[in-house]
Amino acid sequence: MIFSIIALVAAAAAFSLARRFTPHAQEWVLPICVATGLVALWDIACVASGSEIFPTPLDTFYAFGELIESQRLWGDIAASLFRVTWGFLLAAGIGIPLGLVVGWSTRTFRALNPIIQGLRPISPIAWIPIAILWFGIGDGAGVFLIFLSSFFPITVGTMAAVRNISLVHQRSAMNFGVKGFDLFRRVVLPAALPQIITSLRIALGVAWLVIVAAEMVGMDTGLGYLINDARNAGSRYDLVVATMIMIGLIGILLDFLIRRLEVFDEVRWGYTQR
Amino acid sequence: MNHSRRPAGEAKVVFEKVSKTFKQKGEPLEVLTAVDLAVDEGEFVCLLGPSGCGKSTLLNIAGGFERPTAGSVKIDGAEVHEPNAKRVFVFQEYGIFPWASVWDNIVLGVRDQSKAEQHRIVEEVIELVGLSGFESSYPMELSGGMKQRVEVARALAVSPDVLFMDEPFGALDSLTRLTLRTELLRIWEERRPTVLFVTHDVDEAMQLAERIVVFSARPGRIAEIVSVDMPHPRDIGSPEYGVIKNRLYELLGVTHLI
């Protein structure tokens, strides 16, 4: 408690002093001050409320250690990542080509767009009963749900990207007689790629949100299940919070990895212009 | 590729009673009315007129991107129905592909030729437009003027017999514009394509064209065709230049005395 109050005061002091730092230093110092302050407030709130169940930051830290020692964490991370990876790759593998074709061909767009738009607002969570019915409890249902939650953002994003290709670029391609598969390879795909990557990023974010929910309801492994299990096994909220933090960290890592796609010369134009 | 010989005495590009009407909110909007024009092979013609006079629409029709409502455009005696890789459009906004390097942009029109031939042609046009050393750069790393050089090089790579230029230097600063005009003239004198160049800039038309086709405001029709019988490089301080320029301003209905 005392430590937390000191930390809170120190964080506030550093925060107000930070205006004198260089902009680069501020980028580090300011968020660290805020994070320290929040953790201190969390600790103070726990002690002040006298809660027996809600874990303090220190409890959570020990819970982390317990999870890692128990070896169980890695298995659950692997299970969640396995479902997300395959569901996501499957969705990208089908959604990108489909979006390119539907976006380019006006007839196909007219035929399929209403159906795609109609299915899109159905939450992947609502599919859980059907996923379990078709695939049973386990990886199949997880991959299927992640496929659903990634497929729509990717397909719709790719379609929109293709339909946004500038008239000048389309005419350039026509002028030089670029047709058929060559047209997709040289113009349609590269023109749409920056926006496709953005839709992949959104899809992966959604997938990571959905897998946790899906595992809480319909699976017996994975990080979502771990949260449920920790609560059911004697209200181990320290494990619940530690797992939540783990989920957040992995989410940041996934986003960081997929953002690596944005630095290539072939797509950089799409993020710096306009 | 041997293009069909046109009948003796006929011009390279012939506009016959070209009209264009757009639908705007259900209302027909006439932008071009019965335009007749013949452009000779190797000629440099500027289409000059106020914004919205239909000069760009006329160019788009000649380029095969739009169809006339009435009338026709013939090139080498054959009616234009679609774009053709031998008649290249240079766009006002950058038509080059931002996702491809300078080299990959320029190679577009000659992509079906042998690797050796591609190299020869691309190197030649890169040299011609002064882009040596920038082969692997991407458009976003280049200035506006250099991007337009890439676009011109991409057009020249196919050895076009007609160049359609739609205010190609409109987005550039005035010094770059002057430089590129000089270079365009040099290239034109070296290769002699037929050039149809759309502009609303009187000086640009004066500096470039052998003939200036002046358009009246909507619905666009040809007000007058003014010949500029002055050899290059043109002395923009000469009395002759001033006389033609006055005539152009008069036709456009504005005064150059401010």
Side-chain angles (χ1 to χ4, degrees), chain B residues 44-171:
Chain B
F44 200 127
V45 170
C46 276
L47 309 180
L48 177 70
S51 301
C53 72
K55 53 194 193 301
S56 291
T57 305
L58 194 68
L59 206 66
N60 279 321
I61 292 170
F65 294 120
E66 284 177 34
R67 302 283 301 142
T69 315
S72 69
V73 180
K74 288 184 178 142
I75 299 181
D76 293 328
E79 194 169 334
V80 175
H81 290 291
E82 55 182 9
N84 179 318
K86 276 285 158 188
R87 304 154 192 168
V88 182
F89 224 94
V90 176
F91 296 94
Q92 178 179 19
E93 321 94 88
Y94 307 115
I96 54 169
F97 298 148
W99 53 84
S101 66
V102 168
W103 183 282
D104 289 340
N105 264 292
I106 296 174
V107 91
L108 183 68
V110 291
R111 63 192 182 282
D112 294 331
Q113 307 206 18
S114 71
K115 280 273 174 251
E117 195 59 8
Q118 287 179 16
H119 261 262
R120 190 186 64 72
I121 294 170
V122 176
E123 264 164 20
E124 190 186 322
V125 294
I126 281 184
E127 173 94 40
L128 194 63
V129 301
L131 278 172
S132 302
F134 292 95
E135 290 83 352
S136 54
S137 300
Y138 279 77
M140 61 175 288
E141 298 159 355
L142 304 177
S143 67
M146 287 167 85
K147 283 185 213 170
Q148 280 313 60
R149 284 169 199 265
V150 177
E151 179 138 5
V152 170
R154 182 177 74 171
L156 292 173
V158 300
S159 301
D161 42 43
V162 184
L163 273 179
F164 300 109
M165 308 187 86
D166 186 6
E167 298 189 34
F169 309 143

Side-chain angles (χ1 to χ4, degrees), chain A residues 4 7-8 11-12 32-42 44:
Chain A
S4 292
L8 188 62
I32 289 173
C33 288
V34 174
T36 310
L38 285 175
V39 173
L41 281 175
W42 168 12
I44 292 164

